[in-house]
């Protein structure tokens, strides 16, 4: 698997994003809103997270676990060939993000990435995959390791999204 080079200045921004007051006090509450605004402004071609941190971002639509309604938001989506890996750390908070519960209840998802759209099916990574995908995740964003530690080292299941057949 070819790992991308992330420039030093994006690594600095990534390090700042791991500071608890920034990640849980600001990013967890507002980053998806800012990303959505930039996505609308750029007609779906750019997002703030990717521009500032170098993280690859997908726009995912899941089905609400409780409401049954479509829920769309930008997330870091780490590529592995045609697969996309999602990491539900919720910025190191003690609870998983809502989209985690949505994918558990209904693993079908629609992803938009780099100008194309596709249907995917989500599953959790098995233990062998987990080790490989965790290392991939930490390569893209070392802050995931900080989030794991901040959450009390709770288990972080990784989602593997594969193109729907």
């Amino acid at each position: 698997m070819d790992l991308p080079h992330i420039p030093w200045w994006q690594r600095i921004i990534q390090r700042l994003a791991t500071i608890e007051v920034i990640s849980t006090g600001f990013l967890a509450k507002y980053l998806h809103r800012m990303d959505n605004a930039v996505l609308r402004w750029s007609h779906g071609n750019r997002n703030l997270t990717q521009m500032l941190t170098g993280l690859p971002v997908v726009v995912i639509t899941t089905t609400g676990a409780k409401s049954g309604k479509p829920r769309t938001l930008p997330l870091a989506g780490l590529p592995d060939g045609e697969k996309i890996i999602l990491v539900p750390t919720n910025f190191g908070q003690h609870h998983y993000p809502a989209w985690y519960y949505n994918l558990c209840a209904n693993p079908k998802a629609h992803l938009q990435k780099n100008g194309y759209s596709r249907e995917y099916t989500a599953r959790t990574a098995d233990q062998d995959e987990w080790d490989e995908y965790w290392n991939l995740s930490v390569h893209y964003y070392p802050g995931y390791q900080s989030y794991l530690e901040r959450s009390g080292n709770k288990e972080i299941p990784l989602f593997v999204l594969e193109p729907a057949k």
Side-chain angles (χ1 to χ4, degrees), residues 20 23 35 37 46 52 59 69 78 120 139 162:
E20 188 169 5
S23 61
D35 264 339
R46 300 263 188 250
L52 292 176
V59 177
K69 295 180 181 179
L78 312 176
Y120 282 79
H139 169 79
E162 297 174 303

Side-chain angles (χ1 to χ4, degrees), residues 10-86:
Q10 287 177 324
R11 288 289 189 196
I12 290 172
I13 293 171
Q14 288 182 3
R15 275 190 230 119
L16 290 172
T18 65
I19 298 169
E20 188 169 5
V21 69
I22 294 172
S23 61
T24 61
F26 182 76
L27 296 176
K29 295 176 186 174
Y30 302 109
L31 184 59
H32 66 283
R33 291 182 179 123
M34 294 184 303
D35 264 339
N36 279 330
V38 173
L39 281 163
R40 278 191 307 276
W41 172 76
S42 69
H43 305 289
N45 295 318
R46 300 263 188 250
N47 63 73
L48 188 61
T49 299
Q50 193 163 12
M51 290 187 308
L52 292 176
T53 67
L55 286 170
V57 173
V58 297
V59 177
I60 186 170
T61 301
T62 61
T63 301
K66 293 180 184 177
S67 70
K69 295 180 181 179
R71 302 293 185 205
T72 302
L73 73 156
L75 294 175
L78 312 176
D80 177 24
E82 287 193 326
K83 298 175 190 173
I84 302 294
I85 311 308
L86 301 179

Side-chain angles (χ1 to χ4, degrees), residues 90-106:
N90 206 18
F91 297 94
Q93 297 181 80
H94 292 282
H95 58 281
Y96 295 119
W99 62 263
Y100 164 85
Y101 299 103
N102 295 348
L103 285 177
C104 287
N106 184 348

